[in-house]
Amino acid sequence: ASAIAHVAVPTAWREVAVLGRVVPLQAAYALTALRVRAGHLAGPAAEARWNATHAWATPRIRALLDDFGGFLRKIGQMLGTATPSMPPALIAAFAESMDNCEALPYRQMRRIIESELRAPVSQLFSSLDKTPAATASIAQVHFGTLRSDGSDVAVKVACVGSKSKMLSDMRTMLRIAIVLRRLGLDGGVDLPTIMRAYWDIVPDEFDLTTESAKME
């Protein structure tokens, strides 16, 4: 039944599936906070309680990012590099998401380059690595050498469908954030406002032309 639902309404299925993974994680942290307060725990006792929750949550967070990718992986990449105060176990889980992005096959990547640049790869490059040097939730990077002047270049290729998937995920996560806030499972963090703020950041990352101009 779930497979049929997934095919018929993939976005709705994805939203429900993500919510089913996120709510238990949020509930576990809310319960831990309640136990620490109710038990008046402090120092090593409180730290032990939190560490136990982190240990339980870490593999589940990693699986969530790997299974669903999209904007969830983007969040993981951001948190894995920009949250020094976060527990080390969670930082490791988020950081691993940066290394687990599935790369586009070389043939598909080549077709994208030839479509965008309107010329065969063999005419554009004297060499182009088939294996990406880096992959992320939005694009992947290949090193190559221009045939025209022999310059070494890094070619960044946006993954097909990544933008529509990412924007759909952002809408899903905003709805989930609103639900968590209404259920009191947001840990006191204004998640809807945070999610709306991403709308000012993430869409621009798909404009590789603008990114290239900023680097010049």
Side-chain angles (χ1 to χ4, degrees):
S2 62
I4 295 175
H6 192 180
V7 172
V9 282
T11 300
W13 178 91
R14 184 178 175 86
E15 182 173 338
V16 172
V18 171
L19 184 62
R21 299 276 199 98
V22 171
V23 167
L25 290 166
Q26 288 291 110
Y29 279 96
L31 181 59
T32 298
L34 180 63
R35 287 174 173 173
V36 168
R37 289 196 300 269
H40 304 289
L41 300 180
E47 183 177 356
R49 175 72 71 176
W50 283 111
N51 285 341
T53 301
H54 298 327
W56 175 87
T58 295
R60 289 164 175 80
I61 292 173
R62 187 183 302 120
L64 175 66
L65 301 178
D66 290 343
D67 291 347
F68 290 93
F71 185 56
L72 291 170
R73 191 183 298 280
K74 184 66 177 177
I75 292 175
Q77 292 168 355
M78 292 176 178
L79 294 178
T81 58
T83 315
S85 61
M86 187 174 292
L90 296 186
I91 291 178
F94 289 129
E96 284 185 12
S97 71
M98 291 185 283
D99 301 322
N100 294 336
C101 294
E102 184 176 355
L104 288 177
Y106 175 74
R107 289 184 179 179
Q108 186 176 358
M109 184 273 297
R110 184 181 63 191
R111 286 197 297 269
I112 293 173
I113 292 176
E114 292 178 343
S115 175
E116 290 293 323
L117 301 181
R118 301 182 182 279
V121 163
S122 60
Q123 291 183 12
L124 298 167
F125 305 94
S126 57
S127 67
L128 182 65
D129 293 346
K130 293 186 176 181
T131 301
T135 59
S137 52
I138 290 176
Q140 61 193 53
V141 176
H142 295 255
F143 290 134
T145 302
L146 293 179
R147 186 172 294 281
S148 59
D149 61 6
S151 298
D152 293 327
V153 294
V155 182
K156 190 170 185 178
V157 182
C159 301
V160 174
S162 60
K163 183 174 183 178
S164 60
K165 182 179 181 181
M166 188 78 69
L167 297 181
S168 175
D169 280 354
M170 290 173 69
R171 288 189 289 270
T172 294
M173 291 305 296
L174 175 58
R175 287 192 286 268
I176 290 176
I178 292 172
V179 170
L180 292 175
R181 186 166 182 81
R182 289 175 177 173
L183 294 175
L185 296 176
D186 57 1
V189 179
D190 189 354
L191 295 176
T193 296
I194 293 174
M195 296 308 303
R196 291 186 180 100
Y198 279 123
W199 281 99
D200 296 329
I201 302 173
V202 174
D204 290 342
E205 294 190 19
F206 289 94
D207 189 345
L208 302 186
T209 302
T210 299
E211 180 180 347
S212 176
K214 290 179 180 178
M215 296 175 62
E216 294 178 354

